[in-house]
Amino acid sequence: MSLTSWLDKHLWAIPPLVFLAAEAGLLAWSKKSHSPTLMASTPLTARQQVYGSLTGSSSALLGLALAAVAILAAFGPRPDPTGREPKLAHARTLLVGSLFAASFFLLVILVDATLALAMDARSTGNIAIVTILESSILASVVGLLLGGLGLALVIKERAQS
Amino acid sequence: MVTRQLVFYRWTSIERRPPFVPGSVFSNLQTKITRDPDSSIVENDEVTTATMVAEAGSPTEPAKVQLLALRGPDSRPSRWKPGEPLGPLPLRDDQYPADVTHVMMWPDGIAAQDLHANAPRLGRLSYYLRHQVNAYVAFEPLYQADMLERLKQLRGQIRLVELSMTRPEYIADDRGAFATLIPSVYGQRVPSVSVHLGMGRRGPRDRFIDGATEEAVFQIAEDAHDYVDRLVVAGRNRRTGKTERINLLNERLQEKVDVAPRRDVPALPDEQLVFDLLAKSYITFQADGQFERAIRAQATRAR
């Protein structure tokens, strides 16, 4: 089984893998450069504004992701003599997995950004808080894009049938 | 009447594997199936196969087997009536729509089957026996004796090759989210290949397909005959100088017959009649010395 085929069958695993890869990359970059990188290098006031913005946007996106899960759950199996419906129902369940994984990372962003508002008050950003935040952003964006693309295909398939 | 093509093959044991003895293998298979009928089915990701052993055979008598290509609950066809929507076929999960071919294997290395559009090929019987009774056998088609001579006349002067394969039943069932959703929206991609190689009608008449391609075509005739729906080569005959077309699949050692159908299933030929006709063709071909003269697929390759 190829990697893409495996990932297609385990969509929930993509956001965590993206998170781990991004976290490892960012930590390695930070260690190699010996100076703050990306958000950690920005001034405190700008960083605090970003944290505040992220708490709002992540909670909004969390609601959006859970709404997409609700839409997919509402597409119950139809009576279908061709035998395609069980496979489509299984595909929808896989998409829900991707959206749940994205929701988890949106939750991480929400908690991390909220903690950062209170704790990250130095001139350079806290490396742990910042890298977790950046990696979670990347993971949730990937998960949401996959879930969104899948949802679009589900709706199109429904419209055609 | 039901029309069938009786096609002959040569069966051989596989190197570094125990010798294939039809009587013993089918006897073991018959015992296993009698003990547990459910074990007669071999299922993989792509196809479901079963057999019914009519006669296991002996060192002097041929084995007679019905080879079945089954369709499981996920791949069975639907029922339809004009004016009504499609509906499911009224079958239980342990019942299968089946396409059947009758196979006979003689102890002297000859095998035959009644071929039709939906008949499972003998490659499937090899796979089945390997998984059921750990017995290894290979089947090679036999070609008419004069085909090699005609092919030799074309060698090095082939101007056209047509080849096609379509296998809708080999679409994998266990697929991921996007591999399911994208085909359901934009259409299913059936595994198929159609190749047309030619030098063009307006090009120079002395331009031919190169040797490596020619060799690859004959390799397909040898190794992939079970999967090819059409394999035609055309070229200039060295002796006559005229263009000649050879459809390799029509050049097999075969005989077309009409068989009386079964009373209860009109689409199926009477099994005993098919076995009798296979045996009769075998005796006729043997008496004519056709098996000695017939060409095995490897002979088509230059080596």
Side-chain angles (χ1 to χ4, degrees), chain B residues 59-217:
Chain B
T60 53
E61 292 297 315
K64 297 177 182 175
V65 184
Q66 285 177 298
L67 177 65
L68 310 176
L70 305 177
R71 299 206 202 175
D74 294 336
S75 58
R76 64 181 48 154
S78 50
R79 178 174 57 85
W80 184 74
K81 184 181 171 186
E84 289 183 11
L86 285 167
L89 274 181
L91 287 173
R92 294 197 307 265
D93 276 0
D94 62 346
Q95 294 178 321
Y96 300 85
D99 290 309
V100 61
T101 185
H102 302 76
V103 183
M104 282 180 77
M105 290 180 73
W106 285 267
D108 63 355
I110 299 295
Q113 74 168 135
D114 65 320
L115 207 56
H116 55 98
N118 300 315
R121 308 302 166 97
L122 292 192
R124 209 148 149 177
L125 182 61
S126 301
Y127 176 85
Y128 181 87
L129 293 174
R130 197 162 69 238
H131 283 263
Q132 277 287 30
V133 283
N134 203 27
Y136 292 78
V137 63
F139 295 94
E140 288 177 61
L142 293 172
Y143 291 102
Q144 298 286 353
D146 66 339
M147 190 202 65
L148 184 61
E149 199 50 45
R150 288 165 61 200
L151 273 181
K152 274 181 184 167
Q153 297 298 332
L154 298 187
R155 270 213 176 274
Q157 299 205 1
I158 290 178
R159 285 181 56 81
L160 176 131
V161 175
E162 289 171 5
L163 181 151
S164 66
M165 291 179 264
T166 310
R167 283 290 174 273
E169 69 272 27
Y170 286 108
I171 299 168
D173 270 349
D174 180 27
R175 290 186 290 177
F178 289 99
T180 304
L181 287 169
I182 292 172
S184 72
V185 172
Y186 296 105
Q188 185 74 56
R189 293 170 69 187
V190 175
S192 63
V193 173
S194 180
V195 179
H196 181 105
L197 296 172
M199 305 315 296
R201 288 184 182 179
R202 296 198 176 87
R205 310 304 295 170
D206 60 349
R207 189 178 287 173
F208 303 107
I209 285 170
D210 64 273
T213 310
E214 188 181 297
E215 182 64 9
V217 169

Side-chain angles (χ1 to χ4, degrees), chain A residues 11-99:
Chain A
L11 283 181
W12 64 267
I14 296 177
L17 288 174
V18 170
F19 174 83
L20 290 174
E23 186 71 21
L26 288 170
L27 285 174
W29 182 18
S30 177
K31 195 166 184 180
K32 195 177 177 187
S33 66
H34 300 294
S35 60
T37 54
L38 296 179
M39 260 175 67
S41 65
T42 55
L44 177 61
T45 49
R47 230 173 33 249
Q48 290 286 332
Q49 280 178 354
V50 172
Y51 292 148
S53 167
L54 279 174
T55 51
S57 54
S58 63
S59 38
L61 284 171
L62 186 59
L64 195 72
L66 294 177
V69 170
I71 291 169
L72 286 170
F75 287 147
R78 299 160 289 185
D80 176 19
T82 63
R84 278 191 326 149
E85 188 55 29
K87 291 169 194 165
L88 290 169
H90 179 63
R92 290 196 291 271
T93 311
L94 295 175
L95 289 177
V96 167
S98 164
L99 287 166

Side-chain angles (χ1 to χ4, degrees), chain B residues 22-77:
Chain B
S24 148
V25 168
F26 287 111
S27 179
N28 289 344
L29 181 64
Q30 199 169 26
T31 310
K32 186 178 177 186
I33 292 172
T34 310
R35 209 175 289 148
D36 177 15
D38 287 341
S39 73
S40 63
I41 297 173
V42 167
E43 197 169 357
N44 68 9
D45 290 347
E46 296 168 342
V47 288
T48 308
T49 311
T51 57
M52 289 190 292
V53 181
E55 286 176 30
S58 69
T60 53
E61 292 297 315
K64 297 177 182 175
V65 184
Q66 285 177 298
L67 177 65
L68 310 176
L70 305 177
R71 299 206 202 175
D74 294 336
S75 58
R76 64 181 48 154

